[in-house]
Amino acid sequence: MLTVAVKPSDATGPDARPHAVVIGSGFGGLAAAIRLGARGYRVTVLERLDQPGGRARVHRQDGYTFDAGPTIVTAPFLFEELWRLCGREMQEDVALVPMQPFYRIRFEDGQSFAYSGDRAAMRAEVARFSPEDVAGYERFMAHSEAVCRVGFGQLGHVPFGSLGTMLRIAPDLLRLSGHRSVYDVVTRFIRDERLRTIFSFHPLLIGGNPFRASGIYCLIAHLERQWGVHFAMGGTGRLVDGLAGLIRGQGGTIRCGAEAARIRVEGGAATGVVLANGENLPADIVVSNADSAFTYGTLLGGRTRRWSARRLARASSSMGLFVWYFGTRKKYPEVDHHMILMGPRYRGLLQDIFDRKHLADDFSLYLHRPTATDPLLAPPDCDAFYVLAPVPNLAGGQDWSQLAEPYRQRIARFLESSVLPGLSDALVTSRVTTPQDFSEDFLSFRGSGFGLEPVLTQSAWFRPHNRSEDVANLFLVGAGTHPGAGLPGVLSSARVLDSVVPDARVRA
């Protein structure tokens, strides 16, 4: 096991705290910076784009505000903890509003399911679809609670730095069906195929295929019930702004337009970061919130043992994302804040996306209407939307420069014929993001939306570790490391640093 030695920097002047450089300002990087600042480090966050947030950046266009990435806030206590580390309360800066229902799931025939945290309402919804599945649903939720207690409550913030840690939890993984897929677990409890879809789709929110993502991810159902699904008034960007303010309040620095070119390694330890403009930033520790494949393959030049270029090439990446942001000159009050529009196929579509890497003619969509909750995100009497379609990552070879507009038009026609009548006449502003943009803007390996695919053989110890196995004083946070993608996952990855990074306030 690598040891980590942190000594005071050679910095002179009023701030001689050990220096931590964080590469990337996604939620994992911002949370890491706050935790390091609370533990006595002078922190510099490097962001190559023109604003902090990474995938959670904000697009402002023609009077409309669009969250570029995450829109669903679960486990809000993980955010609240960051504010309290800085002696503040989150509600001073950000207002979270609980969603009810969490989402509305609409099937191709127009039938819909209101998915919520209300136990009686959920039993009624299940009974409306399949009365004989109510008891099975209750058993599934009890299973989800047990998995969440272990998988999230006990292990979500624990570093898996050794194989022994993984072996110790192996019995729990087997007992909780971690070796089975989420879909397989759901089928043990529920018979109706539409309900199986409803209670197994959650891995898609973190880049996984429900038919092969580890059954541990069944924990998401209870996670949502326990802590709810929330929306940040003003958009998810308000959370980014709030966290950035906390970092500056600690005396940290966020540098936008600062691209890391490589991590400097001397004597087997990270000693700083070299920027694309040639600037050299010395550091006592380096934390990378960049894609883990980019960290090992590019920032370290592939000069590592465990995460070599060959191993990265063999790794399985999550799917790509096609996102269309658009604004309308009219409101659609009948459309919920969060809607999931299921296409005609479930298993077959996911096989096309994950296995065949084929862009199918059909799709399933996540439709986000934030103005249902916060009308100020659009001009008066208007609506802001984004619609997301899971698609193959760049390993599929699709040329999105040619495909993006025809694909957007197909989605627009479907929306107009289903939940947004008159869309073509109401459309005011529009922009798209494709897997190619994920590759170019976020340096995401294969243009994937969530880093490594969350399968059992790429989870916990099998995932890139939060403390680098190859380079001392280098740490990883974000979707590509343990415990994985999604806001609870990336915030928990930063929480792991409390266990593996020395406290700079303690002198040897």
Side-chain angles (χ1 to χ4, degrees):
M1 179 184 297
L2 291 172
T3 59
V4 180
V6 173
K7 57 181 179 55
S9 316
D10 295 331
T12 59
D15 193 344
R17 292 176 294 170
H19 188 208
V21 173
V22 178
I23 301 171
S25 69
F27 277 119
L30 295 174
I34 290 167
R35 290 186 174 277
L36 293 172
R39 291 164 63 83
Y41 288 87
R42 174 174 60 93
V43 182
T44 300
V45 181
L46 305 175
E47 172 54 59
R48 66 188 294 269
L49 300 178
D50 62 356
Q51 59 176 294
R55 287 168 169 80
R57 64 179 171 173
V58 177
H59 299 307
R60 293 182 175 86
Q61 184 169 300
D62 299 327
Y64 295 79
T65 299
F66 303 105
D67 286 323
T71 61
I72 297 172
V73 179
T74 52
F77 68 89
L78 291 172
F79 282 106
E80 292 165 354
E81 188 175 72
L82 297 173
W83 260 264
R84 287 175 184 149
L85 285 173
C86 300
R88 295 174 57 82
E89 295 295 328
M90 186 171 72
Q91 58 263 33
E92 298 176 38
D93 300 314
V94 180
L96 288 185
V97 178
M99 298 286 96
Q100 200 65 267
F102 297 163
Y103 342 89
R104 188 171 300 279
I105 302 166
R106 182 184 186 276
F107 290 91
E108 192 186 26
D109 63 2
Q111 190 171 13
S112 68
F113 185 103
Y115 195 112
S116 74
D118 184 305
R119 297 178 185 231
M122 284 293 285
R123 285 194 297 270
E125 284 291 272
V126 170
R128 190 165 58 83
F129 272 67
S130 175
E132 61 271 22
D133 275 318
V134 173
Y137 159 72
E138 295 282 15
R139 292 195 300 272
F140 169 72
M141 291 305 299
H143 173 80
S144 177
E145 180 177 6
V147 177
C148 190
R149 190 182 309 116
V150 175
F152 182 74
Q154 297 179 15
L155 302 176
H157 59 282
V158 173
F160 280 79
S162 69
L163 182 58
T165 307
M166 189 72 182
L167 293 175
R168 281 193 294 275
I169 70 157
D172 283 333
L173 286 174
L174 291 172
R175 178 174 58 85
L176 299 171
S177 299
H179 59 296
R180 303 181 66 174
S181 75
V182 168
Y183 183 84
D184 284 345
V185 173
V186 171
T187 62
R188 289 171 48 198
F189 301 98
I190 295 172
R191 297 180 180 180
D192 183 86
E193 194 58 43
R194 293 167 302 174
L195 292 177
R196 288 176 171 179
T197 299
I198 288 166
F199 293 107
S200 69
F201 81 88
H202 285 96
L204 288 164
L205 302 177
I206 56 171
N209 180 345
F211 291 91
R212 63 189 190 203
S214 167
I216 289 295
Y217 293 103
C218 287
L219 67 84
I220 298 174
H222 179 74
L223 181 79
E224 291 180 334
R225 173 192 273 186
Q226 178 72 23
W227 288 289
V229 169
H230 300 79
F231 177 72
M233 295 298 286
T236 310
R238 288 289 300 149
L239 285 164
V240 173
D241 293 343
L243 295 176
L246 295 180
I247 293 167
R248 296 184 183 106
Q250 291 176 317
T253 302
I254 300 176
R255 294 180 54 180
C256 293
E259 181 173 359
R262 65 181 175 89
I263 297 169
R264 200 173 71 246
V265 178
E266 298 173 5
T271 59
V273 176
V274 179
L275 303 188
N277 65 5
E279 181 182 354
N280 179 27
L281 280 179
D284 296 285
I285 66 168
V286 175
V287 177
S288 181
N289 183 215
D291 186 285
S292 56
F294 183 80
T295 298
Y296 281 112
T298 300
L299 295 178
L300 289 174
R303 296 187 299 274
T304 60
R305 292 169 297 174
R306 188 171 181 205
W307 294 100
S308 64
R310 182 178 179 183
R311 179 168 182 177
L312 290 170
R314 293 200 309 266
S316 175
S317 300
S318 63
M319 78 281 200
L321 301 174
F322 179 92
V323 191
W324 176 32
Y325 311 90
F326 61 97
T328 60
R329 61 170 53 92
K330 61 178 283 189
K331 296 189 76 69
Y332 289 88
E334 65 281 6
V335 176
D336 291 79
H337 187 119
H338 299 296
M339 288 193 73
I340 294 168
L341 308 173
M342 302 302 302
R345 300 183 302 149
Y346 186 43
R347 185 191 296 265
L349 177 63
L350 294 174
Q351 287 175 333
D352 280 341
I353 293 169
F354 284 89
D355 302 329
R356 304 183 186 101
K357 302 292 191 296
H358 166 67
L359 186 64
D361 291 332
D362 59 322
F363 36 65
S364 289
L365 305 171
Y366 161 55
L367 180 64
H368 179 226
R369 178 180 166 246
T371 38
T373 303
D374 188 351
L376 297 181
L377 296 173
D381 300 317
C382 297
D383 264 335
F385 292 90
Y386 97 25
V387 62
L388 179 152
V391 295
N393 61 42
L394 293 180
Q398 285 82 16
D399 181 356
W400 284 104
S401 68
Q402 300 299 312
L403 292 172
E405 180 55 18
Y407 196 68
R408 184 202 68 78
Q409 291 177 8
R410 282 166 50 195
I411 291 174
R413 287 193 294 270
F414 170 77
L415 292 175
E416 186 161 26
S417 67
S418 54
V419 295
L420 299 180
L423 175 60
S424 55
D425 291 332
L427 193 64
V428 174
T429 190
S430 172
R431 68 182 297 154
V432 299
T433 292
T434 74
Q436 188 61 46
D437 295 307
F438 274 81
S439 175
E440 294 173 0
D441 292 349
F442 309 125
L443 307 177
S444 176
F445 185 51
R446 298 181 179 131
S448 68
F450 303 90
L452 294 175
E453 184 183 356
V455 293
L456 185 59
T457 54
Q458 294 184 162
S459 298
W461 182 79
F462 299 110
R463 208 166 180 83
H465 297 176
N466 303 95
R467 176 167 57 192
S468 172
E469 306 97 309
D470 293 302
V471 179
N473 297 349
L474 173 62
F475 304 88
L476 279 71
V477 296
T481 186
H482 171 70
L487 291 185
V490 300
L491 294 176
S492 293
S493 73
R495 205 176 178 198
V496 173
L497 297 186
D498 290 351
S499 302
V500 297
V501 177
D503 193 322
R505 299 167 297 182
V506 179
R507 299 299 188 196

